[in-house]
Amino acid sequence: MVQTEQDSPRALEEFRAEVRAFIAGNLPDDLRERVERGWAFLRKEDYVFWQKRLHARGWGGPTWPIEYGGTGWTAAQRQVYEDESALACCPRTQPQNVKMIGPILCAYGSELQKQRFLPPILNADEWWCQGYSEPGAGSDLASLRTSAVLDGDCYRVTGHKLWTSLAHWADWMFCLVRTHKGPRPQEGITFLLIDMKSPGLTVRPVITIDGSHHTNEVFLDDVRVPVHMRVGEEGRGWSLSKALLAHERAGIAELGRSRERLARLKRIVADPAINGTHLKNDAVFQAKVSMLEIEIMAAEASTLNLLSRPQAASTALPSLLKLRGSEITQRVGELLVDALGPHALRNDLALAKERAQGDDPLPSFATGRVPEFLMQRSFTIAGGSSEVQRNIIAKVLFQD
């Protein structure tokens, strides 16, 4: 990678200081503490608040082209920004909005779609969800059966989507539908933008093993979608879905968050108020921590490679990052549960009650509860299971 003037050590340190100053001046203490305590304590308005602050600063779409509101940052600057945001416990940039549908519309959307959707995405005025997975079509996405039949100037969509994250918060859904059958299952898939308020569309919660509501079923019963809400050509949605999945898979890695949680783990082990202190001199436990730190550093180098070379999105790198990043997240979560001991068993309702009464015996950084650990089990499935990622990597490595 060729180093630019913006990427010189001095320039990056100045940029890092700028990011830290912005966060210090804009992130309220109560919001930072909710982020620190875990995603289950956050509300939709928390994410919206932070995205609006970022957009007002001109940082709403770090990966977007400048002409659509992007920052023009280099790969190294984007990594500095992501790392500092994670370390400071800023709310996540919700991937379905800025990191997934935004770049797809920038690259493939019509002018009408860009003008209609890009500004409210940047300013968090509208929220998106991803209509990909179905019963029997999760990791095997090409077997999806939701159908769309052209009827004049509209498509009539009927089908069933599953595991749709935060659909209950969403205003719009980017959705894969089948418009016709071809010799290959990837053919005949079309990419539509669907208004969640459309007649015939129903959202039902799916309560997962961690006891929380963050995924949903979406039923589409003869939902009418205007033709001008199709992205790209009819039947060519598979290529768009692959481009979008590359953004999603790289985002799932969230290495900055893993690094922050690893630092938190060390604080937990060193804190005499927490049952993890007996692990401070445990050679096996400390070896696991050290190995994770090394793996995070290696994955960060791969992330920088991906960010600095747009063409790398078509290689195995996004799959490699998704595979390694999701596994690292789960292993850090497992160590946090081990370090917290019996404190890890407390549920979100008990924590919220203790916090409201001022009776929480643990500092806010002492998170790593069993519900959070259970939720993280989905990370090696979301965005394509680990088995799918290994197949993609093998195909690239051993292609003729």
Side-chain angles (χ1 to χ4, degrees):
M1 183 178 65
V2 178
Q3 186 182 78
T4 67
E5 185 177 345
Q6 292 170 288
D7 292 342
S8 69
R10 179 175 179 180
L12 285 178
E13 283 309 305
E14 290 176 352
F15 178 69
R16 189 183 301 276
E18 181 183 358
V19 173
R20 288 177 175 173
F22 169 80
I23 294 172
N26 287 272
L27 183 66
D29 289 341
D30 61 330
L31 178 52
R32 179 200 57 76
E33 187 170 304
R34 283 198 296 278
V35 174
E36 195 172 42
R37 286 189 172 275
W39 69 271
F41 290 87
L42 291 169
R43 308 158 299 188
K44 180 180 179 180
E45 51 264 36
D46 292 328
Y47 297 106
V48 170
F49 167 85
W50 189 240
Q51 179 62 27
K52 286 183 178 295
R53 286 293 177 96
L54 292 173
H55 180 48
R57 180 64 177 80
W59 293 355
T63 62
W64 291 22
I66 293 175
E67 60 267 30
Y68 298 123
T71 59
W73 289 341
T74 66
Q77 286 177 313
R78 294 202 298 272
Q79 186 154 326
V80 166
Y81 166 75
E82 293 288 349
D83 289 347
E84 291 301 322
S85 296
L87 290 171
C89 293
C90 299
R92 287 177 171 87
T93 298
Q94 283 302 293
Q96 292 92 336
N97 306 334
V98 172
K99 295 184 177 180
M100 294 168 68
I101 187 60
I104 291 300
L105 291 177
C106 288
Y108 304 104
S110 67
E111 286 306 312
L112 175 65
Q113 291 166 353
K114 292 174 183 177
Q115 293 174 17
R116 166 63 183 81
F117 293 118
L118 293 182
I121 290 173
L122 278 180
N123 199 45
D125 293 327
E126 290 179 337
W127 196 284
W128 289 76
C129 63
Q130 179 185 32
Y132 274 26
S133 296
E134 300 180 3
S139 293
D140 183 19
L141 188 58
S143 64
L144 66 88
R145 291 183 290 180
T146 294
S147 66
V149 178
L150 188 61
D151 181 11
D153 61 353
C154 287
Y155 288 100
R156 301 174 72 135
V157 180
T158 298
H160 178 194
K161 297 294 180 178
L162 187 59
W163 312 120
T164 311
S165 297
L166 303 180
H168 54 299
W169 289 357
D171 303 291
W172 288 84
M173 175 171 63
F174 51 94
C175 187
L176 292 181
V177 299
R178 187 167 297 283
T179 45
H180 64 270
K181 291 185 178 180
R184 299 174 62 248
Q186 291 83 0
E187 297 177 13
I189 293 174
T190 299
F191 196 105
L192 297 180
L193 311 177
I194 302 179
D195 188 338
M196 295 295 285
K197 297 184 293 297
S198 301
L201 191 152
T202 304
V203 178
R204 295 180 185 171
V206 175
I207 306 302
T208 49
I209 192 172
D210 60 312
S212 298
H213 175 202
H214 48 88
T215 64
N216 304 269
E217 291 181 283
V218 179
F219 297 89
L220 302 112
D221 183 12
D222 198 28
V223 174
R224 300 181 69 86
V225 181
V227 171
H228 66 263
M229 289 299 169
R230 182 188 72 218
V231 181
E233 299 178 28
E234 181 177 297
R236 299 294 182 88
W238 185 253
S239 60
L240 297 184
S241 75
K242 289 196 299 182
L244 193 147
L245 282 169
H247 290 289
E248 179 183 9
R249 287 165 180 165
I252 287 173
E254 288 203 317
L255 296 167
R257 302 282 171 181
S258 291
R259 181 173 285 283
E260 185 274 329
R261 293 178 70 75
L262 195 62
R264 194 184 303 190
L265 172 65
K266 294 178 180 179
R267 295 171 68 189
I268 289 172
V269 171
D271 194 315
I274 305 171
N275 288 350
T277 53
H278 70 281
L279 297 171
K280 188 173 183 179
N281 298 313
D282 186 310
V284 174
F285 184 86
Q286 292 299 331
K288 292 179 180 179
V289 173
S290 298
M291 181 57 66
L292 276 172
E293 199 153 20
I294 292 169
E295 292 184 19
I296 289 173
M297 292 172 64
E300 285 174 339
S302 297
T303 300
L304 193 58
N305 188 9
L306 176 61
L307 292 175
S308 61
R309 297 192 299 124
Q311 68 272 22
S314 61
T315 70
L317 262 179
S319 291
L320 177 63
L321 283 174
K322 194 273 177 180
L323 176 65
R324 301 302 293 144
S326 59
E327 291 176 345
I328 287 170
T329 296
Q330 290 177 347
R331 287 161 58 198
V332 173
E334 183 176 354
L335 291 181
L336 281 164
V337 170
D338 288 346
L340 281 172
H343 294 299
L345 295 173
R346 296 182 307 163
N347 61 35
D348 295 336
L349 290 176
L351 279 169
K353 183 177 180 180
E354 290 171 354
R355 185 62 183 163
Q357 297 174 346
D359 295 331
D360 188 352
L362 300 183
S364 60
F365 67 80
T367 61
R369 295 157 290 111
V370 168
E372 190 173 64
F373 169 73
L374 293 174
M375 184 272 291
Q376 291 169 347
R377 305 317 297 165
S378 67
F379 285 18
T380 44
I381 301 172
S385 69
S386 294
E387 290 76 14
V388 169
Q389 308 314 316
R390 290 188 175 95
N391 285 339
I392 293 171
I393 294 167
K395 184 177 180 180
V396 172
L397 290 177
F398 299 106
Q399 62 186 348
D400 294 331

